[in-house]
Amino acid sequence: MKLRLRHWQAEALQKAQKWFLEEGHRNFLLNTAPASGKTLAACAITKMMFDKKKINRVIVIAPRAEVVNQWSEDFRRVTGRFMGKVTGRDGDIGSLEMDVCATWAAVQGLQPELQAVCRTSDTLVICDEHHHAAVQAAWGTATDSAFADAKFCLILTGTP
C-alpha cells in the first residue's frame, strides 16, 4: 500500500529514522494535536523500522478498546501485519507470536508476558496517550517494568 503522509507526518518519519537509527536513541516523542493522524504517523515509523530490520515485534498500548480496534486496522493497512487485540477483560497474550495492541488497563495483568516479549524480541513499544502511564498511577509502575527491556519506544500524545 502506498501511504500518503501529511507534511508533518513525513517530517516525523524522517526525524524518527534519524533519531532511532542514526543517533542511536531508544525513545522518540511525537506530540501533536488530538485527531491529527498520530496513529498513521506511528504506523509509518513502524513500517520503516520493520523494513530496515531493526525490529521484529510491536506492542501498542492504547487508552480504550475502541482505540485498540483502530490501531489494529490501521496497523494492518500500513504494515500488512496482523495485530492481536487485548483489552482489560481479555487479559492474556499467552504465547502469541504476533504484534499486540492492549489497553493501558491490561498492562498490569500482562506484565510478565510483555516483559518476556521485550526480552526475547527486538520490540518497538508504542505508548498511545502516554499520560495514562503517570508514575503515580498503578499503570505507570506496571508500564515501566513491562517495557524496561524494549529496544525502542515511540511515545504518542496529544494531551498537553
Side-chain angles (χ1 to χ4, degrees):
M1 168 199 181
K2 176 73 173 151
L3 183 63
R4 295 183 57 138
L5 297 175
R6 297 175 185 163
H7 176 74
W8 77 264
Q9 292 167 320
E11 187 177 345
L13 174 60
Q14 291 174 336
K15 287 181 178 181
Q17 181 172 340
K18 181 178 180 187
W19 189 255
F20 283 141
L21 306 183
E22 295 172 25
E23 297 181 9
H25 297 286
R26 181 177 178 259
N27 301 311
F28 186 78
L29 172 67
L30 186 57
N31 183 7
T32 67
S36 62
K38 287 184 292 294
T39 302
L40 286 179
C43 287
I45 292 167
T46 301
K47 182 169 181 356
M48 176 271 299
M49 298 289 278
F50 278 127
D51 290 348
K52 302 259 185 206
K53 301 194 182 325
K54 297 299 178 181
I55 59 170
N56 55 24
R57 294 284 297 272
V58 173
I59 298 170
V60 176
I61 307 302
R64 297 177 314 282
E66 299 84 14
V67 181
V68 167
N69 290 331
Q70 176 195 349
W71 262 105
S72 180
E73 291 168 20
D74 288 346
F75 185 82
R76 187 173 206 166
R77 189 165 47 101
V78 173
T79 68
R81 294 170 62 107
F82 177 79
M83 178 173 273
K85 300 178 279 186
V86 181
T87 64
R89 293 182 302 259
D90 301 327
D92 183 19
I93 61 172
S95 62
L96 291 179
E97 294 291 328
M98 67 180 74
D99 304 307
V100 175
C101 187
T103 59
W104 285 100
V107 171
Q108 193 168 9
L110 295 172
Q111 193 171 345
E113 291 91 344
L114 295 170
Q115 286 171 333
V117 169
C118 291
R119 286 185 185 130
T120 60
S121 302
D122 290 333
T123 305
L124 169 65
V125 174
I126 302 173
C127 299
D128 192 357
E129 295 301 332
H130 192 264
H131 62 276
H132 288 278
V135 173
Q136 296 84 3
W139 297 341
T141 303
T143 302
D144 283 349
S145 177
F147 304 124
D149 294 322
K151 187 167 185 179
F152 299 102
C153 187
L154 178 58
I155 301 164
L156 310 178
T157 188
T159 304

